[in-house]
Amino acid sequence: MARKKIALVGAGNIGGTLALLAGLKQLGDVVMFDIVEGVPQGKSLDIAQSSPIEGFDAAFVGANDYAAIKGADVVIVTAGIPRKPGMSRDDLLGINGKVVSTVGKAIKKHCPKAFVIVITNPLDVMVWVMREESGLPAERVVGMAGVLDSARFRYFLAEALGVSVQDVTAFVMGGHGDTMVPLVRYSTMAGIPLPDLVKKGWISQEKLDAIVQRTRDGGAEIVGLLKTGSAFYAPAAAAIEMAESYLLDKKRVLPCAAQLNGEYGVTGLYVGVPVVIGAGGVERVVEIDLNKTEKALFDKSVSAVRGLIDEMRKIQRGVTK
Ligand code: LMR
């Protein structure tokens, strides 16, 4: 069987990590694209040279011409700039909106059959821009955020509970911003919901509240530490988990920014919800019951995404900034 082709648009820190993980997991041949000459070529060659040591077979090509992404099965988009300390993801709207618009047009031209995963921030709006510009069906355009936010939530919980991350499930819904909604009621250790663990004394309510807030601030915490960029290991791992589910038709249930068509009372927006990812792309949106408080938080997050899309539209029409 011919190897699949994975195109990585953006050869920065996340792009390089994505390429390495795609190789280690033998997901297919990798093309790294970037507008900066030499960088995608250098990173590709470097990773290819690690393949005899790691024992994987895959071709790695670096390119500065979009033609190189032709026929890709999966495209993962990290192009654009990361925020700096003190900035919000939303501050990147204008600049990254233009970049993602260009990438969307290139995908439409060179690989309209691809499954596209967007990582660029502000995520929920950038994935919406990608869908508009690429014209790809909504089930083949998704945003990577929920897997990352949920992984952070799981990690913090496992650390506090003193158990393996493998035995903690958790997920985060809503937009990938300050209004994201870590769902305590749907998070478990060995199947025991967190509220019961509080009752049993495994974790205090105060500690749990602090973890929920730390999860919301997870991206900013890393930006504050790195000072010159944002997180890249965990974001890359999250996107690769999504790509793998698509390429291997695993039908994983993963929280992703997916276009809603009436689910959760939302239409036409991309927002983080649990979805089934298989060979058909986003095969199903999983609707879970939200209580009054959770629904209010989710609605607030949806409003924030909607407001940002309105701003994006104004920028696109040249009305502001
Ligand atoms: C993250 O959550 O790590 C990314 O969205 C990057 C950022 O700016 O926080």
Side-chain angles (χ1 to χ4, degrees), residues 82-83 89 92 119 121 148-149 152 176 218-220 222-223 230-231 235:
R83 61 173 159 161
R89 296 179 180 95
L92 306 171
I119 301 187
N121 273 317
L148 169 64
D149 299 325
R152 286 179 173 146
H176 181 57
I222 306 264
V223 169
S230 54

Side-chain angles (χ1 to χ4, degrees), residues 184-294:
V184 166
R185 261 183 348 121
Y186 285 97
S187 303
T188 67
M189 180 197 78
I192 309 166
L194 285 182
D196 290 348
L197 293 172
V198 172
K199 280 189 207 136
K200 287 177 199 288
W202 276 81
I203 185 166
S204 69
Q205 187 61 50
E206 293 69 38
K207 178 74 185 166
L208 183 54
D209 292 345
I211 286 178
V212 165
Q213 193 53 44
R214 191 175 178 197
T215 300
R216 287 201 186 101
D217 298 336
E221 183 176 357
I222 306 264
V223 169
L225 290 166
L226 294 180
K227 300 209 168 50
T228 54
S230 54
F232 52 99
Y233 292 117
I240 288 291
E241 188 173 48
M242 293 164 67
E244 188 176 26
S245 191
Y246 171 76
L247 288 167
L248 305 185
D249 193 21
K250 289 183 87 162
K251 303 198 191 299
R252 298 284 315 277
V253 179
L254 299 169
C256 304
Q259 183 174 292
L260 297 182
N261 297 303
E263 298 91 349
Y264 295 97
V266 179
T267 298
L269 287 192
Y270 270 88
V271 68
V273 290
V275 300
V276 178
I277 295 188
V282 174
E283 297 185 346
R284 196 166 175 177
V285 172
V286 182
E287 287 200 78
I288 57 162
D289 292 331
L290 299 178
N291 67 24
K292 226 171 140 190
T293 314
E294 292 158 351

Side-chain angles (χ1 to χ4, degrees), residues 102-151:
T102 305
V103 179
K105 290 186 180 95
I107 289 173
K108 181 180 190 166
K109 180 169 175 199
H110 297 291
C111 48
K113 295 214 160 67
F115 179 62
V116 181
I117 301 169
V118 177
I119 301 187
T120 307
N121 273 317
L123 191 275
D124 309 276
V125 187
M126 292 304 108
V127 64
W128 175 86
V129 171
M130 173 57 68
R131 159 101 173 93
E132 297 265 304
E133 297 289 357
S134 67
L136 265 62
E139 66 272 17
R140 283 199 279 112
V141 180
V142 283
M144 184 295 298
V147 178
L148 169 64
D149 299 325
S150 305

Side-chain angles (χ1 to χ4, degrees), residues 7-233:
L8 307 175
V9 179
N13 282 338
I14 309 185
T17 312
L18 285 167
L20 179 61
L21 288 175
L24 289 171
K25 287 181 170 268
Q26 307 220 51
L27 293 184
D29 293 334
V30 176
V31 171
M32 289 180 95
F33 167 91
D34 202 291
I35 53 170
V36 183
E37 286 181 20
V39 170
Q41 291 83 354
K43 289 195 179 182
S44 293
L45 184 58
D46 187 17
I47 292 169
Q49 290 169 357
S50 79
S51 66
I53 305 165
E54 296 291 354
F56 58 81
D57 290 298
F60 289 84
V61 173
N64 305 113
D65 184 338
Y66 275 114
I69 70 172
K70 191 172 167 53
D73 298 287
V74 170
V75 184
I76 307 180
V77 180
T78 59
I81 60 162
R83 61 173 159 161
K84 298 206 166 56
M87 287 172 80
S88 112
R89 296 179 180 95
D90 302 354
D91 295 332
L92 306 171
L93 190 68
I95 186 153
N96 283 354
K98 283 198 198 105
V99 174
V100 171
S101 166
T102 305
V103 179
K105 290 186 180 95
I107 289 173
K108 181 180 190 166
K109 180 169 175 199
H110 297 291
C111 48
K113 295 214 160 67
F115 179 62
V116 181
I117 301 169
V118 177
I119 301 187
T120 307
N121 273 317
L123 191 275
D124 309 276
V125 187
M126 292 304 108
V127 64
W128 175 86
V129 171
M130 173 57 68
R131 159 101 173 93
E132 297 265 304
E133 297 289 357
S134 67
L136 265 62
E139 66 272 17
R140 283 199 279 112
V141 180
V142 283
M144 184 295 298
V147 178
L148 169 64
D149 299 325
S150 305
R152 286 179 173 146
F153 195 20
R154 285 175 66 193
Y155 170 71
F156 298 145
L157 286 170
E159 196 187 25
L161 294 166
V163 300
S164 165
V165 288
Q166 286 182 304
D167 298 315
V168 176
T169 65
F171 82 92
V172 178
M173 286 180 66
H176 181 57
D178 299 342
T179 60
M180 71 178 73
V181 190
L183 282 177
V184 166
R185 261 183 348 121
Y186 285 97
S187 303
T188 67
M189 180 197 78
I192 309 166
L194 285 182
D196 290 348
L197 293 172
V198 172
K199 280 189 207 136
K200 287 177 199 288
W202 276 81
I203 185 166
S204 69
Q205 187 61 50
E206 293 69 38
K207 178 74 185 166
L208 183 54
D209 292 345
I211 286 178
V212 165
Q213 193 53 44
R214 191 175 178 197
T215 300
R216 287 201 186 101
D217 298 336
E221 183 176 357
I222 306 264
V223 169
L225 290 166
L226 294 180
K227 300 209 168 50
T228 54
S230 54
F232 52 99
Y233 292 117

